[in-house]
Amino acid sequence: MRKFWSPAPTIRLRLTASYAGLFLISGIGLVAIIYALVAEATGDVFVINGLSGVHLSRIGPDGLPLAAGPDPSATAGPTPSPSPTPMHRSQAVAHLVRLARNQHTDELHQLLIQSMIALAIMAVVSAGLGWILAGRVLRPLRHITNTAQQISATSLERRLSLPGPNDEIKQMADTFDDLLARLQATFEAQRQFVANASHELRTPLARQRVIGQVALGDPEASADDLRAAHERILASGAEQERLIEALLTLARGQTGLGHHDPIDLAGITQTALTARHTAAEQRGITMTADLAAAPIVGDPHLIERMIANILDNALLHNHQDGHVEVSTSSAGGRSTLTVGNSGPRLTADDVHRLLRPFQRLETARVRNESGLGLGMPIIEAIAGAHHGGLAITPRASGGLMLTVQLPARETPTDLGWGVTVVQAVQALPDDAPTPHQVQG
């Protein structure tokens, strides 16, 4: 069946039709009310029956006078005129009544026609005014649409900056500007992440190439020299494997959960502490644990990686003969993991930098080439994937107090859980309470 083309109705056209329709309906109602009132007010007919010697008479629907009385002028004259017969008087009254009623009907009909003509004219005028008014109302939306069509991934710095009162359209434009700001920050972070990842991967590759070229270019190299060069190449390859694994873990944490299994934070934390007991003893770091049951639902592999990164950071960026305190608990529908460690003194700006990929605070921390600069971003991404909260606070004596709160059971995304990093403006003392979880 052939379809005939019809223009798509725009919002402006629909608003104009709505304005005109409402005016037409209101006008019809107004005409009906006026017509009824006029008909009611002029429904009675008044005639003067001079022939009968009767003064002004009010004629009812049956055509008979409702009230009558002697004509005052009839008694004033010296000789009253002879009265007509009752038959002639009744015929005259009926004739006058018919004339009055016909005139009344014609007047009402003429009133209705003129009112409808005026209503039709004003309906056309209201449609034109509605078209103009709808255009003025929709002008900000056209500005938003045109600007949004011109914005691309390379021009996210543009903003709508819609002027005017703080109405619904202004709030929508401000929300769109906030969205553009977040998208711009995300794109910039992505570009920076790609650049940093490329640099981090290129460095060990360049080291491998140089080691191999030097070993092969030395004609007097012995078997031991070639073996040592090969071991260095293998060590550089292992560094690349760690970096790639960290990148994959970060990507998995940012993508979301693949498994939803029951997990106990206390059991995984105990296993991770046992695996790092020897490394802590070698550096003289004392680890204390207060592990209570903390059940959650999530991806076991991601949770293991998150706890491993937290403990590795606490050991890696610590003083000789330092300490690490670990505790788990569950209350109010949330399970909490808290890790505090000694170490260099940090500021809120340092904490903010730690959450960026490939950021290392070498000036404030003990330099260690085993750090990739992805520990904190991975922790943040995994906590966010589990709809949890992350709180990081620098301690007055040095080091950090890190708290991860996760829902004790599976929580839908729309409950408002998100990753929030609480950064202290001033360093807190060691015994200060951990900042409260703030929902994202």
Side-chain angles (χ1 to χ4, degrees), residues 24-358:
L24 190 60
I25 294 174
S26 301
I28 293 175
L30 179 61
V31 170
I33 293 173
I34 293 176
Y35 183 86
L37 293 176
V38 171
E40 178 67 21
T42 59
D44 296 329
V45 181
F46 293 89
V47 297
I48 298 177
N49 189 355
L51 297 177
S52 63
V54 180
H55 73 88
L56 185 66
S57 300
R58 186 166 181 263
I59 306 303
D62 55 356
L64 299 177
L66 298 178
D71 190 353
S73 62
T75 59
T79 304
S81 59
S83 300
T85 63
M87 181 178 294
H88 291 166
R89 183 174 57 192
S90 175
Q91 292 176 352
V93 170
H95 178 67
L96 291 175
V97 169
R98 286 195 299 271
L99 291 177
R101 283 184 173 174
N102 291 336
Q103 182 180 359
H104 180 252
T105 302
D106 293 340
E107 290 175 352
L108 288 179
H109 183 68
Q110 190 67 21
L111 174 64
L112 180 61
I113 293 176
Q114 294 176 354
S115 298
M116 296 305 295
I117 293 174
L119 179 61
I121 295 174
M122 291 307 300
V124 175
V125 174
S126 66
L129 295 177
W131 179 265
I132 297 174
L133 180 61
R136 293 178 61 87
V137 171
L138 296 176
R139 185 179 303 168
L141 292 180
R142 289 196 299 270
H143 172 71
I144 294 174
T145 301
N146 295 333
T147 306
Q149 290 174 349
Q150 298 172 4
I151 294 176
S152 64
T154 58
S155 59
L156 289 175
E157 70 280 354
R158 295 191 57 181
R159 297 293 182 269
L160 298 177
S161 302
L162 188 68
N166 189 23
D167 53 10
E168 289 82 356
I169 297 180
K170 180 68 164 56
Q171 294 175 1
M172 181 182 67
D174 294 342
T175 303
F176 188 77
D177 286 340
D178 295 338
L179 176 61
L180 289 177
R182 292 193 295 270
L183 286 176
Q184 182 183 7
T186 301
F187 272 81
E188 291 178 353
Q190 183 182 21
R191 286 193 289 266
Q192 185 65 32
F193 177 81
V194 172
N196 292 335
S198 301
H199 173 74
E200 293 291 335
L201 289 172
R202 186 168 53 248
T203 300
L205 289 175
R207 185 184 303 119
Q208 289 179 354
R209 184 174 62 253
V210 171
I211 294 173
Q213 290 175 349
V214 171
L216 293 177
D218 186 3
E220 299 180 356
S222 62
D224 294 335
D225 295 335
L226 294 177
R227 180 182 295 275
H230 186 66
E231 290 176 352
R232 294 177 61 187
I233 292 175
L234 291 178
S236 181
E239 182 181 350
Q240 293 182 59
E241 291 178 0
R242 293 198 307 272
L243 178 58
I244 294 174
E245 181 182 0
L247 291 174
L248 292 176
T249 303
L250 179 60
R252 286 182 57 196
Q254 293 175 341
T255 301
L257 299 182
H259 300 277
H260 296 78
D261 301 329
I263 306 170
D264 186 9
L265 284 179
I268 298 180
T269 303
Q270 181 62 56
T271 303
L273 287 172
T274 303
R276 287 157 181 80
H277 181 72
T278 302
E281 284 187 344
Q282 292 176 354
R283 297 191 56 186
I285 297 176
T286 303
M287 293 193 301
T288 59
D290 182 12
L291 304 179
I296 64 171
V297 175
D299 191 322
H301 300 291
L302 290 180
I303 293 297
E304 290 175 2
R305 173 55 59 184
M306 182 188 70
I307 296 176
N309 281 5
I310 293 175
L311 296 179
D312 288 341
N313 284 337
L315 294 175
L316 181 63
H317 308 292
N318 209 322
H319 290 313
Q320 186 72 25
D321 300 328
H323 56 86
V324 175
E325 304 93 10
V326 183
S327 65
T328 58
S329 61
S330 181
R334 299 179 183 180
S335 295
T336 303
L337 169 66
T338 303
V339 178
N341 64 279
S342 57
R345 293 188 177 184
L346 302 176
T347 64
D349 292 336
D350 295 332
V351 173
H352 183 71
R353 285 185 57 192
L354 287 175
L355 293 170
R356 300 176 183 175
F358 303 107

